[in-house]
Amino acid sequence: MAYPEKVYLNGEIKDAHDAKISVFDRGFIFGDGIYEVIANINGRLFYYDAHLDRLKDGLKKINIAFDTSSLPKAIDALISASNLKDQDYMLYIQITRGVAPRKHAYPETAIPTVMMFASPKTLPDINEVNAQVITRDDFRWSRCDIKMTSLLGNVMLNDEAKQHDCYETIMHRNGVFTEGSHCNLFFVKNGTVFTHPADEFILNGITRIVVLELCKSLNIEVKETPIKITDLMHVDEVFLTGTTVQIASIQQIDDHILYTENKKDSVTKKLQEAFLKLKYTVTPL
C-alpha cells in the first residue's frame, strides 16, 4: 500500500512528508496510545459509531483525556483534502498520550497527539480466500481488549505466518484458541458457531460484533465459548473476521485440512452473503 498524500496531525492537514512528531512522543517511545481502522464502503464509514465507541473506551481504559467529538469534522476535512470523497478507503486514527520527558508513569500535563490518514482501498464483495493458517502460543500480555498502538507481539506472529506462506497465525492460551494476530476467530460445529468470549484475552472486533448480530438474524446458534486445542479435529468450519479481512474461510490449520472445496451451504458462506448485503444496506452516516 502506498503512503497517503495527506495526514491530519493535531488540528492541521499536512502533506505526508511534512507531518512530523516529536521523538519524545509517548506513542513513539512507549506505544502509549490507541488506534482505530475504519472502512469507508459505498459512501459511508461502516459501523463508524461502533468504532468511535471502542476508541473512546480504549482511551478511557488507559486514561488519555481526549474529546472525540472533534473527530467527525476533522475526518471530513481530511477526506476532502485527500480527494477521497467519491472512493472507498481505509481511515486510520491514532491518539497517543502526547509529548513528555521519558518516564514510565503518566505525565500530568501532556497534550494528546492526534493523527489520521486515509488511503484508497476497495474491499472485495466477499473474501474468497481459503486460508491456510498456523497455530502458535498466545504469548501476548493479558489486556488484549485494548486496541493499543504497541502491537509487537501481533506483528511477530503475523510475520511468522508470512514466513510460512500462510494467511494468518491463530493463537491459543491455556489450552484454548483465542484469536488471530489481526483477526477474530470463529469455529462451527454441528451448525453452532463458537467463539472466544470478549474478555481481556481478545480484542472485541467490530466485525466480530456484526457477525454475532448476523448469526442472531439468521437463527444460527452462537456460544461464546472457546474451542479447546484438543477439539480442533471435531469442528466442521473455521473462519476469521476483521475490518479488512471481512469474513475469511480457513481451509487448513497447520497440517489439518478442514475441506478441499468450500460448500455453498456452509455457515461461513451464509454469513459472508449476509455480510455482503449488510455492507450495502446500512444507512449512510
Side-chain angles (χ1 to χ4, degrees):
M1 182 182 294
Y3 290 110
E5 294 183 3
K6 300 291 182 181
V7 173
Y8 174 94
L9 182 61
N10 295 331
E12 298 182 75
I13 296 173
K14 299 174 176 285
D15 291 337
H17 63 270
D18 291 327
K20 304 186 188 322
I21 64 167
S22 168
V23 295
F24 298 110
D25 191 287
R26 288 177 62 93
F28 175 69
I29 292 178
F30 291 118
D32 185 1
I34 300 295
Y35 78 100
E36 278 293 330
V37 179
I38 313 175
N40 188 78
I41 302 171
N42 194 32
R44 81 275 188 257
L45 290 166
F46 191 61
Y47 277 77
Y48 171 79
D49 289 343
H51 280 280
L52 189 63
D53 286 344
R54 186 173 62 180
L55 177 68
K56 290 189 286 188
D57 183 60
L59 293 169
K60 182 178 179 180
K61 285 177 177 177
I62 66 171
N63 296 321
I64 291 180
F66 176 76
D67 183 1
T68 59
S69 65
S70 62
L71 290 180
K73 184 177 181 180
I75 292 169
D76 286 345
L78 171 65
I79 299 309
S80 178
S82 302
N83 295 316
L84 291 173
K85 276 192 170 295
D86 298 321
Q87 298 185 48
D88 287 353
Y89 58 83
M90 284 292 164
L91 173 67
Y92 180 86
I93 305 171
Q94 176 174 302
I95 301 173
T96 74
R97 198 173 305 277
V99 178
R102 189 185 185 281
K103 184 178 180 181
H104 280 67
Y106 297 158
E108 295 182 0
T109 59
I111 299 173
T113 297
V114 183
M115 186 271 288
M116 300 188 293
F117 60 82
S119 299
K121 186 174 181 66
T122 300
L123 297 172
D125 284 344
I126 290 178
N127 188 342
E128 299 287 356
V129 68
N130 295 314
Q132 295 184 30
V133 304
I134 57 174
T135 63
R136 291 293 184 268
D137 181 60
D138 192 345
F139 57 73
R140 304 169 302 163
W141 75 325
S142 60
R143 289 305 308 274
C144 300
D145 56 305
I146 301 174
K147 197 171 178 67
M148 59 181 180
T149 56
S150 178
L151 289 172
L152 183 57
N154 301 65
V155 168
M156 292 169 64
L157 290 160
N158 192 265
D159 187 69
E160 191 168 359
K162 179 182 177 182
Q163 297 307 319
H164 285 79
D165 294 321
C166 286
Y167 188 81
E168 174 65 300
T169 298
I170 62 174
M171 295 171 277
H172 49 78
R173 187 193 298 254
N174 299 325
V176 301
F177 286 103
T178 51
E179 61 182 348
S181 72
H182 73 306
C183 309
N184 287 121
L185 181 63
F186 290 78
F187 299 85
V188 183
K189 182 178 179 181
N190 297 327
T192 298
V193 171
F194 293 81
T195 191
H196 197 287
D199 57 17
E200 68 272 21
F201 295 123
I202 74 162
L203 179 71
N204 191 14
I206 303 305
T207 309
R208 176 187 183 275
I209 295 170
V210 172
V211 165
L212 294 177
E213 292 174 351
L214 289 175
C215 285
K216 184 176 181 180
S217 68
L218 295 170
N219 295 315
I220 298 171
E221 184 180 3
V222 174
K223 293 185 179 180
E224 291 192 64
T225 303
I227 288 289
K228 296 178 181 178
I229 300 172
T230 53
D231 289 339
L232 179 60
M233 299 300 172
H234 306 295
V235 301
D236 304 312
E237 304 170 44
V238 188
F239 61 90
L240 301 164
T241 65
T243 296
T244 56
V245 169
Q246 302 184 98
I247 302 174
S249 177
I250 294 179
Q251 182 181 43
Q252 181 172 339
I253 301 174
D254 293 331
D255 295 327
H256 176 55
I257 298 175
L258 289 149
Y259 63 88
T260 55
E261 183 178 349
N262 198 3
K263 296 179 180 179
K264 294 182 179 179
D265 60 348
S266 68
V267 171
T268 303
K269 183 62 70 175
K270 290 177 182 177
L271 288 168
Q272 287 176 326
E273 291 172 352
F275 187 76
L276 172 60
K277 291 179 182 178
L278 183 65
K279 287 195 298 180
Y280 294 99
T281 56
V282 170
T283 304
L285 295 171

